[in-house]
Amino acid sequence: MNRKMLAALTTFFLVSLLSSAATATGHGRAKADDKGPAILLVTFGTSVPSAQAAFANIETQVKKAFPDVEVRWAYTSHIIRQKLAREGKVLDSPEIALAKLMDDGYAKVAIQSLHMIPGQEFHEIHTNAMMFERMVGGFDKVIVAHPLLSANDAMENVVKTLPAAMIPRDRTPEDAVVLMGHGTHHAGDAIYSAMMYKFQSIDPNIYVGTVEGHPTFEDVKAQLVKKGIRKAYLIPFMSVAGDHALNDMAGEEADSWKQMLTQAGIECVPVLKGMAEYDALADLWIENLKIAVKHLQP
């Protein structure tokens, strides 16, 4: 049995158990409207200490926008949760975090995905979260806010915001900017190609590549070499500068983007900060969250 099947079965069992318990007692969860809604921030997660700065920043911004609202976290990565648990840091899966919120008496929850695109992982979060609204004794309402790049307007906002926020000021127009996205085996992967098109409409030397999707690193490298680029700034196109940024993008191993571009004669300058570390970009996620919280109101 693979990990995804096991996770799905675990979620089904958890939902069935909670639903059965509510039915057996003859009533559901007591109403707790006086508590107001709760916010659950959901991310893949990271075990890189320096990358936690991104999560700390977005939590600060969320609490500033919603000062009287309960804010909790969930990591979707089982591997990351296990690794952190061995270090004494306990993080819940989205399903366990939702079960705890329900047990604590919250009636409404807004879930903010800190993913970049509405890919496979986002849709799994959405599917499982909706079970907690449909079960007997479940939440009155659950809203899953969109990830960052979910529609054309959102993509345009990132194109307008990212260059000023993330690209170092000493970069010249002749220097390339290479944004590293994660990529996914899902139709949402096409968003990365769309983003490169949009970035290049305002700056022809901004490129978008992915670790596991398209455009690939080889696609980007070929364009840089063909254009005669001599210097490139490597920037994570992710909420955090975690393992992919430190190793796949800026690592010292021969197969990192930095080393492979250096071998091609291109000087590389890594920028090791995640997108959520920048207030202007974190605000774009928070705008999605504001819409979700508004929809929780009667």
Side-chain angles (χ1 to χ4, degrees):
M1 183 182 295
N2 63 35
R3 183 181 64 80
K4 288 185 178 178
M5 185 179 296
L6 179 61
L9 287 173
T10 301
T11 301
F12 176 78
F13 177 75
L14 174 64
V15 172
S16 299
L17 184 62
L18 291 169
S19 180
S20 298
T23 303
T25 59
H27 60 275
R29 171 193 41 75
K31 296 298 181 182
D33 293 340
D34 58 322
K35 273 194 166 186
I39 290 171
L40 182 63
L41 303 176
V42 179
T43 176
F44 179 83
T46 182
S47 59
V48 177
S50 60
Q52 290 288 338
F55 294 158
N57 184 58
I58 202 160
E59 180 173 331
T60 297
Q61 299 305 316
V62 168
K63 288 182 175 179
K64 187 182 297 182
F66 304 95
D68 300 317
V69 178
E70 177 75 5
V71 178
R72 299 187 187 180
W73 283 88
Y75 283 12
T76 61
S77 171
H78 178 70
I79 293 175
I80 296 297
R81 294 198 308 271
Q82 279 192 322
K83 184 174 181 180
L84 291 175
R86 289 193 293 269
E87 300 172 2
K89 303 170 185 175
V90 178
L91 272 299
D92 292 326
S93 67
E95 295 77 23
I96 295 299
L98 285 168
K100 287 182 177 179
L101 283 167
M102 190 168 65
D103 193 54
D104 288 342
Y106 287 94
K108 300 175 182 178
V109 180
I111 301 172
Q112 177 59 62
S113 160
L114 297 180
H115 297 83
M116 293 294 294
I117 65 171
Q120 181 174 339
E121 193 164 294
F122 170 77
H123 287 288
E124 289 173 357
I125 293 167
H126 186 276
T127 298
N128 290 349
M130 291 302 101
M131 293 182 184
F132 285 83
E133 183 180 279
R134 293 195 295 267
M135 72 169 68
V136 175
F139 294 114
D140 289 346
K141 198 164 190 179
V142 177
I143 299 289
V144 182
H146 293 303
L148 194 63
L149 304 173
S150 54
N152 188 69
D153 288 349
M155 294 163 68
E156 293 286 353
N157 286 337
V158 172
V159 169
K160 294 173 184 176
T161 305
L162 185 147
M166 296 185 72
I167 299 175
R169 293 183 179 180
D170 57 357
R171 177 246 179 173
T172 69
E174 292 75 29
D175 300 332
V177 172
V178 178
L179 301 172
M180 174 193 265
H182 189 279
T184 180
H185 303 291
H186 182 276
D189 193 61
I191 290 174
Y192 292 107
S193 295
M195 287 303 296
M196 181 150 70
Y197 169 80
K198 289 180 177 295
F199 275 120
Q200 292 192 349
S201 68
I202 64 167
D203 186 329
N205 278 339
I206 297 181
Y207 300 82
V208 178
T210 64
V211 181
E212 298 181 9
H214 293 84
T216 66
F217 167 76
E218 293 300 331
D219 293 332
V220 173
K221 176 185 171 184
Q223 292 182 53
L224 297 178
V225 171
K226 181 178 180 180
K227 204 167 185 179
I229 296 294
R230 308 307 301 170
K231 184 176 181 180
Y233 288 83
L234 308 182
I235 299 176
F237 198 39
M238 306 176 187
S239 59
V240 301
D243 183 69
H244 285 303
L246 294 178
N247 296 306
D248 297 317
M249 187 185 83
E252 297 303 320
E253 298 293 329
D255 60 350
S256 77
W257 289 22
K258 174 186 172 183
Q259 296 303 322
M260 289 189 286
L261 289 177
T262 299
Q263 285 296 315
I266 300 172
E267 176 190 355
C268 293
V269 181
V271 179
L272 295 175
K273 291 183 70 175
M275 293 183 64
E277 291 187 58
Y278 300 89
D279 290 352
L281 290 160
D283 283 347
L284 299 180
W285 270 290
I286 293 170
E287 287 303 313
N288 290 345
L289 181 57
K290 287 179 179 178
I291 294 171
V293 171
K294 184 176 181 180
H295 279 89
L296 291 178
Q297 306 307 316

